[in-house]
Amino acid sequence: MESQLTVLKQLVVLFIAAFLWFFSVAWVNSDTQKTGRNTKFWNTIFFFFSPISLIIYLSLSWKNKLKKRTVTPRADLVLLKGNGEPLFLAQGGGQESLTLDSVKDLIKKALNNRSTDIHLSPKIHSLLTRFRIDGILHDGPSFPERLGTAILSSFKVLAQVDIAERRKAQDGSFIVVADGNTINFRVSTTSSLYGETMVIRILDSKRGLINLNKLGLSPQVEEECNSLIASSHGMILVAGPSGNGKTTTLYAILNRVNTGEKNVISIEDPIEYELAGVTQIPIHSKTGVTFAGSLRTVLRQDPDVIMIGEIRDLETAEIAFRASLTGHLVLSTLHATEAVEVVARLLDMGLKPNFVSSSLIGVLAQRLIRILCPKCKKSYKPQNLEELYKNGLKLGEKDVLYKPVGCKYCRNTGYKGRIGVFELLIIDKEIRTCIDEKASKEDIFSIIKEKGMLTMKEDGWEKVKQGITTIEEVERVLK
Ligand SMILES: [Zn+2]
């Protein structure tokens, strides 16, 4: 409707301009003849004057239009529901378009500042938004109550969850097409003191796939990882709390394994990154497609390498471990704070010690720490060397460390991006015996320390010395 009106307006203006042009040309013609001036000359000038100015005017407005398009990328977000249908909000004037604009604006902001999550939390008479960037929450815009409720409802429509339900927890997903990229969003709602709280996780597949050598593995750990991955069978687990890059690491390993000579199958909930050459199977627990059920099917598909998104229950663990014993390399993640804890967690789940010891070949535990902003980090000479030494950070007299400052490039946080700190537990003969004998976590830990395993904290200190991060950041993440 709007575009039709502007076309009509332009036509009217064009008509008036043509009318004026015609009369001025006629007047000039008769006037010059009357006064005896050079009629041909003035006629030519007036005849061409108008068309030329029209062309200049049109070319200028075109230029402006082109400029606008390049200044605001992500200008046109296409919002699609989880099933791929476009979002349709009832046309009814101001409120709907304001809501839709706010929704799009929130998504644009989140994508532009590299957020991994958007938090929407209702407070008294308002809706607060926050963005998680590099693992830390930052305040976003807040909205008045009515608009806030409308925004929450729009996200619920997009995620295809029950709009009327405000108490029970609900899950859904939607898709955004921005600059030709398809980005998946996962929505989770639950009720809180002032109403419904929503967290939207952004699964940007372009951001996800990182090469194994870019994760931050020390040369020693990377070499050991490579030899583990080359095994034809056995179980490799990546451990850490959620939101610490386990999936990214798993994908990096899978990408290294995926050379085309092996049949690689993954079972995931959700599929975060598409990997060419890998058969990826999504889990739908709502419709009864479970990890355990899918895993049984996968085993009949002649796989060489199987990736399981996460081991959450005994049933999945048992099938996965059995598969790793029968000639398959199995990769998965487990929620555990450190490498040695994984063994205890598996036994707690109900797996038999000899079952674990004979199939597990390695555990890679990890955390993500923030990287100092390269544009504003400032060097300093550390003072309390003795205290730092006690804490495990061994520095020489001449060592220089860096601290965060803050600039426009890092949004005044002093940090930009994150990198992993790792510890790799290799299950060798000695550790296997420990597991069989149900040795304590502490006993296993002292043995692997003797063998020279680098802990996550030691890996972190190494990155402090290299000027990648700060003492405070390592202490914040690894208390
Ligand atoms: Zn900076």
Side-chain angles (χ1 to χ4, degrees), residues 208-367:
L209 194 58
I210 299 175
N211 212 314
L212 195 59
N213 57 18
K214 295 267 166 64
L215 292 174
L217 297 169
S218 65
Q220 183 201 334
V221 171
E222 195 189 335
E223 204 186 308
E224 288 168 339
C225 261
N226 279 332
S227 64
L228 280 180
I229 295 167
S231 319
S232 63
H233 60 92
M235 166 75 83
I236 301 172
L237 288 172
V238 179
S242 48
N244 267 279
K246 295 194 294 279
T247 313
T248 307
T249 304
L250 210 57
Y251 273 97
I253 295 175
L254 203 61
N255 206 29
R256 180 69 55 94
V257 178
N258 182 26
T259 52
E261 295 161 4
K262 289 176 178 171
N263 184 16
V264 184
I265 303 181
S266 74
I267 309 167
E268 302 167 59
D269 178 26
I271 293 178
E272 290 192 25
Y273 318 119
E274 279 176 34
L275 278 177
V278 175
T279 309
Q280 293 175 285
I281 300 168
I283 295 293
H284 295 288
S285 37
K286 269 184 202 166
T287 54
V289 181
T290 61
F291 272 114
S294 300
L295 194 47
R296 283 197 192 93
T297 314
V298 163
L299 284 170
R300 290 193 289 269
Q301 301 268 320
D302 185 30
D304 295 299
V305 181
I306 306 166
M307 172 187 135
I308 304 157
E310 193 182 1
I311 291 181
R312 291 178 199 159
D313 54 87
L314 178 63
E315 196 187 3
T316 312
E318 274 180 341
I319 308 168
F321 273 84
R322 193 157 294 129
S324 73
L325 273 175
T326 52
H328 307 100
L329 182 67
V330 182
L331 311 165
S332 189
T333 68
L334 194 82
H335 194 94
T337 51
E338 46 184 12
V340 286
E341 205 199 284
V342 166
V343 175
R345 285 269 291 118
L346 291 170
L347 299 184
D348 283 348
M349 259 184 185
L351 289 178
K352 297 219 165 61
N354 64 344
F355 198 41
V356 173
S357 69
S358 50
S359 41
L360 194 62
I361 58 172
V363 177
L364 185 67
Q366 76 171 87
R367 290 286 190 291

Side-chain angles (χ1 to χ4, degrees), residues 337-338 340-342 344 438-446 448:
T337 51
E338 46 184 12
V340 286
E341 205 199 284
V342 166
K438 281 189 162 181
S440 71
K441 227 164 73 174
E442 290 73 22
D443 286 345
I444 299 179
F445 189 75
S446 62
I448 53 177

Side-chain angles (χ1 to χ4, degrees), residues 373-377 405-412 414-415:
C373 170
K375 298 214 171 169
C376 65
K377 68 177 181 183
V405 178
C407 66
K408 216 173 159 189
Y409 181 65
C410 58
R411 304 175 72 250
N412 278 320
Y415 296 93

